[in-house]
Amino acid sequence: MKDVKINMLKHFLHTLLLVYFALILVHGQDQTGFISIDCGRQPKDSSYSESTTGLKYISDEPFIEGGVSKSILAQYKPNLQDQVGYVRSFPQGIRNCYRINVTAGTRYLIRATFLYGNYDGLNQLPEFDLHLGVNFWDTVKFDSVIISNMKELVHIPLKDNVQVCLINTGSGTPFISALELRPLKNTTYATSSGSLSLTLRADVGSTINGSYRYSYDVFDRLWLPYNFNKWTQFTTPLTVNPGKNYQPPSVVMSTAAIPINESSPMQFFWTAPDPNTVFYVYMYFSELQQLKANESRAFNITLNGELFYGPLVPEYLNVTTIFTPSGVSGGNFTFWLVKLENSTLPPIFNAIEIYTLVDFSRSETEQQDGTLSFSFP
């Protein structure tokens, strides 16, 4: 899928601008297995801890041959995280690849970040392709000079290295701001074959105008806020137990959304341009209210009118993860959270991730092109 656009009342895409502006200052935790590469950072042997996350970045010089180090314009740097202040640009060659050593058989989150920042002074947004090895991963496009574009992949390397490649397609010079690899648990995000490309990760009912990542999230997943005008925010100051597998962070799970009209269901849907596209959906729920003896919260989850899961009774301050174990396809997807008749309280919704299945055995020319829109009406 070469062009993925998310439209949640235009809010979600606009929030990308906040990714590097509104992360809360935190202290670093264990970063074992983390690979954090600042592309274009000078001098070539430099390293540092990013002030807002505590993540330890190194220069990309050991991982790439060629390319030119450039700084984004100074006017864009205030309040940005350090790793997007420089880029490595590739004005020469059709294909330029980073080679990064990894542990074969380990499931990784691989994130490539691109922030143009008019680094070349041309004020012309480029477009280019991103490959993993010889296989097409995605097309990199931009909506603004200062809005970042991030591509995330959940992937298990079969060898002891991965190659992330930037491909010049004749629509501007490829560049990259940062490359980050994070080991995940092999018991999570499982597929029968293929890898998972992130389409959406939303902190539903968030109370901040920013995002959360490490060290709130032990896997350094990036959670962007989403609120909808037919839903109201619901929060707790208490810690939510993230569980042992997917471990969505407590700060994400401690906020949620419920319908303003408590008798109304909660709905989200999307349409894929290719009906053969397979999606994996991960929904996270937690009860944030200590229920009284005469109170109950129970609801069903339906997909396209059919029962998908239920009844669901979220546990108090514990995470329940509901997901599609074999993926779903067909082009049109409508999920409903529907209150049971004997429930005194409406559905609650804390967080969601949606991924697209990527088959890296296919060549670039076999990939589908289209636009994907999400809505939480």
Side-chain angles (χ1 to χ4, degrees):
M1 186 173 304
K2 295 187 67 176
D3 184 11
V4 178
K5 294 182 179 179
I6 300 173
N7 179 18
M8 296 162 60
L9 303 182
K10 296 185 179 180
H11 176 90
F12 190 78
L13 274 177
H14 291 171
T15 304
L16 289 176
L17 178 61
L18 300 174
V19 169
Y20 293 109
F21 283 88
L23 284 158
I24 298 174
L25 182 65
V26 295
H27 296 288
Q29 297 178 346
D30 181 20
Q31 299 179 35
T32 301
F34 281 24
I35 301 172
S36 304
I37 301 171
D38 185 335
C39 301
R41 170 66 62 167
Q42 295 294 322
K44 63 182 181 181
D45 58 350
S46 63
S47 63
Y48 64 91
S49 291
E50 209 287 319
S51 59
T52 62
T53 62
L55 289 167
K56 300 173 183 177
Y57 286 87
I58 59 176
S59 167
D60 65 341
E61 289 280 352
F63 306 97
I64 188 72
E65 294 182 2
V68 181
S69 173
K70 296 283 188 178
S71 172
I72 68 171
L73 293 191
Q75 68 196 67
Y76 298 127
K77 284 191 175 183
N79 300 318
L80 290 178
Q81 287 188 359
D82 294 335
Q83 72 271 19
V84 295
Y86 290 84
V87 306
R88 183 168 294 275
S89 173
F90 298 96
Q92 295 183 338
I94 301 297
R95 178 184 179 88
N96 288 274
C97 297
Y98 284 84
R99 182 185 177 95
I100 305 167
N101 291 336
V102 295
T103 303
T106 296
R107 194 180 307 275
Y108 283 90
L109 182 151
I110 304 174
R111 177 165 54 231
T113 300
F114 311 86
L115 194 148
Y116 175 57
N118 199 19
Y119 75 88
D120 54 7
L122 299 177
N123 203 33
Q124 295 179 359
L125 299 175
E127 179 180 325
F128 48 90
D129 282 352
L130 183 65
H131 283 199
L132 188 70
V134 298
N135 291 293
F136 175 82
W137 175 355
D138 212 334
T139 293
V140 180
K141 298 181 180 180
F142 299 90
D143 293 318
S144 168
V145 167
I146 195 58
I147 295 181
S148 63
N149 190 334
M150 288 185 236
K151 303 297 183 183
E152 281 193 21
L153 193 69
V154 175
H155 177 70
I156 301 179
L158 301 179
K159 301 189 298 182
D160 61 0
N161 67 82
V162 293
Q163 292 192 40
V164 177
C165 304
L166 291 89
I167 311 300
N168 191 324
T169 57
S171 298
T173 300
F175 75 92
I176 187 169
S177 303
L179 268 173
E180 298 161 322
L181 286 80
R182 311 292 187 239
L184 302 170
K185 292 189 175 184
N186 277 10
T187 55
T188 60
Y189 302 110
T191 65
S192 57
S193 63
S195 301
L196 296 177
S197 179
L198 180 67
T199 300
L200 171 70
R201 184 183 295 119
D203 177 2
V204 180
S206 175
T207 58
I208 68 167
N209 290 320
S211 57
Y212 291 110
R213 57 178 296 185
Y214 186 84
S215 62
Y216 292 103
D217 190 310
V218 295
F219 303 121
D220 192 25
R221 292 164 298 190
L222 183 69
W223 298 87
L224 300 180
Y226 179 72
N227 290 290
F228 177 56
N229 60 12
K230 291 186 179 181
W231 302 347
T232 187
Q233 295 167 312
F234 190 57
T235 67
T236 180
L238 303 177
T239 299
V240 177
N241 178 12
K244 296 182 179 180
N245 287 317
Y246 293 92
Q247 296 178 247
S250 175
V251 71
V252 169
M253 294 302 300
S254 64
T255 62
I258 60 175
I260 294 175
N261 182 346
E262 295 193 357
S263 63
S264 297
M266 304 178 76
Q267 179 193 30
F268 64 94
F269 65 87
W270 72 94
T271 300
D274 178 6
N276 295 315
T277 300
V278 177
F279 293 90
Y280 281 74
V281 182
Y282 302 83
M283 292 174 278
Y284 303 100
F285 304 93
S286 178
E287 178 59 72
L288 305 183
Q289 177 181 346
Q290 182 71 68
L291 302 188
K292 299 177 182 178
N294 62 346
E295 293 179 319
S296 63
R297 191 189 311 274
F299 53 93
N300 286 331
I301 305 173
T302 67
L303 171 59
N304 294 339
E306 300 292 332
L307 180 65
F308 175 73
Y309 186 90
L312 173 60
V313 180
E315 295 184 31
Y316 179 57
L317 299 182
N318 284 294
V319 173
T320 299
T321 304
I322 306 299
F323 60 92
T324 51
S326 57
V328 292
S329 61
N332 297 303
F333 308 90
T334 301
F335 281 90
W336 292 87
L337 311 182
V338 184
K339 173 184 172 182
L340 297 187
E341 289 186 3
N342 60 351
S343 176
T344 64
L345 298 173
I348 189 171
F349 192 14
N350 304 71
I352 185 172
E353 295 181 280
I354 302 176
Y355 294 84
T356 303
L357 185 67
V358 181
D359 182 359
F360 282 135
S361 66
R362 294 184 294 175
S363 69
E364 175 185 348
T365 56
E366 296 172 17
Q367 303 295 322
Q368 295 293 324
D369 190 5
T371 299
L372 182 63
S373 294
F374 285 84
S375 183
F376 286 63

